[in-house]
Amino acid sequence: MEESYVAFPAVISYVKDTWLNNHKEKFVKFWTNGVLHFGNVTNCRVEIAHSTLKGWLETSTGSLDSVWAKVNKAIEDQVTQIKQSLERSRRSHGRIYDVMPLQHLNGRTSHHCMLLLVNEKKRMRELSHEVNVRCGCVYKTTHQIPCACDIRRAIDSGTYFYLDQVHPFYRTLVIGEDGCVPTPLDDPDHQSQDSRFFESFMHEPPRNTTTRGKPQSNSTRRNRSAWEYTRGTRGRRGRNGGRGDGGRSGGGRDISDFPYLYGLPDIIKPFVEDWNNVMGDGNCGFRCVADFFLGGQDNWIQARYLIVNEVKANRPEYIHLYHGGLDQAIDRITWNGGHCGANHYMDLPDDLYPIANFWNCAVMVYGVGPRGELYSCMTVLPLRAPSTDDRPRIEICHYTHWSPLCST
């Protein structure tokens, strides 16, 4: 640079005296490569955040209540996108990541981390036999993940990478400290007087339903498909447009064929629309949840992970509900090895709370033992719900041996 700008000594002096001598450690790679920064080396993320917020505001002027509501919606949208990204990292295992020596990290670290490791593996191939000399080991410091020479040594020795070799930043798949996601707007105890005041302006005014002339038909109902006629369901979502009821909407199996009908209270029988006797492999409780919400009992592993994620994301809320210890409950629910013993069963009533909260449903349990003895019935209601809901969206009934009942 000095040679190129030899005719402009003032430029060289400005660069040296204003920037290099005083701030070189903040932007020159020789120094920034020695700092843990996870790849954040510019202010572009801040500018993008400003642009996103401006997209929600749409104007440079506005009343305080409208601006407050839009900012709140922008933050909620960001939190939702982060949750979706983390859940994709947990549930979607890309083929490009399922390679030696990354298999044990696939599904346990974020997709961003896996992509960094895949690219570092490509760099390892490009460096060839000079990888140990030219690697630089930058990722070890800036990201705290294995670098190209580490990948080469793992491949040569036939070993895999493990979670303790990756910084917790990449293997923490729930947001918030200790998995706790703050929800100040959903908890009235944490709402300030001002926030409650502005929320009062955000409700839609009642519509005038008294109109003249012939009523218009705006029905969105459709004819059933052949498959739905065969099964006897319409495949709709939850009553209030929520996360759904797994495609159950009545017209199912006759309740008289239910093998545990003798233990069902008579007052409940007229309201049962459908039932299913899931596989009794120790995972039957979670199979019921999967059958009801996730489209089939074979998705019981996903049901376990969703419940665990709900508990981890709201630790302060559940720490007093799990009497045997929260970490022990997480270890018990986290299971994907097929048939399990009692140490991985669904626990009553502790596991019913995250089910009721996550799916905003009322969970009713009617207990019958293996020899026909009756146990106490119980109902668990959600402890929280979106502000737009004034009741649980659906009801799910569990039975022991666990079998889901669909009620009206």
Side-chain angles (χ1 to χ4, degrees):
M1 183 177 179
E2 289 179 342
E3 294 176 355
S4 301
Y5 292 88
V6 65
F8 306 96
V11 174
I12 302 300
S13 299
Y14 170 77
V15 172
K16 286 185 176 181
D17 298 337
T18 304
W19 294 103
L20 291 180
N21 294 341
N22 300 323
H23 306 290
K24 58 181 179 293
E25 295 86 356
K26 299 179 181 179
F27 66 91
V28 179
K29 283 189 176 182
F30 180 83
W31 286 277
T32 59
N33 282 347
V35 178
L36 178 65
H37 53 63
F38 301 111
N40 295 310
V41 294
T42 69
N43 63 350
C44 292
R45 293 171 65 90
V46 179
E47 298 300 333
I48 292 175
H50 290 168
S51 176
T52 302
L53 181 58
K54 292 176 182 178
W56 280 87
L57 295 177
E58 297 178 342
T59 179
S60 60
T61 60
S63 60
L64 182 58
D65 59 322
S66 62
V67 172
W68 180 87
K70 291 179 180 179
V71 172
N72 178 59
K73 292 298 183 182
I75 296 174
E76 287 182 347
D77 181 68
Q78 290 180 352
V79 172
T80 301
Q81 292 181 16
I82 293 173
K83 287 183 176 181
Q84 291 175 347
S85 175
L86 295 177
E87 191 61 26
R88 284 194 298 268
S89 297
R90 285 161 35 86
R91 302 303 305 167
S92 177
H93 301 175
R95 291 185 179 181
I96 62 173
Y97 310 140
D98 195 19
V99 293
M100 177 72 184
L102 310 179
Q103 286 95 326
H104 290 178
L105 303 180
N106 197 5
R108 295 176 174 85
T109 60
S110 66
H111 283 176
H112 176 66
C113 175
M114 298 301 297
L115 184 59
L116 291 175
L117 291 172
V118 169
N119 292 335
E120 194 70 357
K121 187 176 180 180
K122 293 179 181 179
R123 193 172 77 93
M124 181 257 318
R125 294 195 185 99
E126 295 173 355
L127 296 176
S128 186
H129 63 279
E130 298 181 346
V131 62
N132 293 321
V133 179
R134 299 175 54 192
C135 174
C137 301
V138 175
Y139 273 15
K140 277 187 175 181
T141 305
T142 59
H143 296 70
Q144 288 192 10
I145 60 176
C147 58
C149 60
D150 291 330
I151 297 176
R152 167 57 63 187
R153 284 191 290 269
I155 293 176
D156 292 341
S157 60
T159 58
Y160 297 91
F161 291 140
Y162 294 93
L163 288 179
D164 57 358
Q165 296 175 266
V166 177
H167 192 277
F169 174 78
Y170 295 108
R171 49 189 170 93
T172 303
L173 300 184
V174 291
I175 62 175
E177 185 178 358
D178 296 328
C180 176
V181 183
T183 54
L185 298 183
D186 293 336
D187 188 353
D189 295 336
H190 292 83
Q191 288 183 331
S192 66
Q193 181 178 357
D194 294 336
S195 64
R196 291 195 298 269
F197 174 76
F198 288 122
E199 275 191 324
S200 64
F201 291 99
M202 299 192 307
H203 298 292
E204 183 179 357
R207 297 181 180 180
N208 181 15
T209 58
T210 304
T211 58
R212 296 182 178 181
K214 181 180 179 181
Q216 296 182 356
S217 176
N218 297 322
S219 174
T220 59
R221 294 178 62 87
R222 59 174 174 82
N223 295 328
R224 297 186 184 183
S225 64
W227 178 84
E228 290 172 341
Y229 268 113
T230 303
R231 185 172 177 177
T233 62
R234 182 171 289 277
R236 60 175 173 84
R237 300 186 71 187
R239 286 179 185 162
N240 295 334
R243 269 174 274 206
D245 56 8
R248 298 177 178 275
S249 62
R253 285 153 286 228
D254 189 351
I255 186 60
S256 61
D257 297 329
F258 186 52
Y260 304 98
L261 183 62
Y262 60 88
L264 191 64
D266 292 336
I267 195 175
I268 298 297
K269 294 177 183 179
F271 300 97
V272 177
E273 295 180 345
D274 197 8
W275 59 271
N276 188 15
N277 191 16
V278 299
M279 184 184 302
D281 60 349
N283 302 296
C284 51
F286 301 98
R287 286 181 178 274
C288 291
V289 176
D291 182 70
F292 203 90
F293 295 108
L294 304 178
Q297 60 171 305
D298 293 336
N299 296 318
W300 59 270
I301 296 178
Q302 182 181 358
R304 283 181 178 268
Y305 279 126
L306 289 175
I307 295 173
V308 167
N309 197 34
E310 163 69 17
V311 174
K312 286 183 177 179
N314 301 278
R315 292 181 69 95
E317 184 175 320
Y318 292 104
I319 195 168
H320 301 296
L321 296 178
Y322 281 91
H323 304 291
L326 195 59
D327 293 330
Q328 291 81 352
I330 292 174
D331 293 338
R332 172 179 54 80
I333 302 173
T334 305
W335 171 258
N336 57 5
H339 190 284
C340 67
N343 55 336
H344 290 289
Y345 284 176
M346 178 176 283
D347 194 10
L348 290 178
D350 299 350
D351 292 343
L352 303 184
Y353 292 104
I355 296 173
N357 288 334
F358 185 78
W359 282 283
N360 189 26
C361 64
V363 184
M364 287 161 278
V365 179
Y366 309 103
V368 179
R371 292 180 296 274
E373 64 274 20
L374 300 180
Y375 295 103
S376 300
C377 303
M378 66 180 69
T379 299
V380 175
L381 300 175
L383 302 176
R384 49 180 162 77
S387 58
T388 56
D389 291 342
D390 58 0
R391 53 158 290 170
R393 292 174 178 171
I394 54 178
E395 293 79 34
I396 175 175
C397 307
H398 282 323
Y399 214 76
T400 307
H401 136 77
W402 293 90
S403 298
L405 304 175
C406 183
S407 62
T408 56

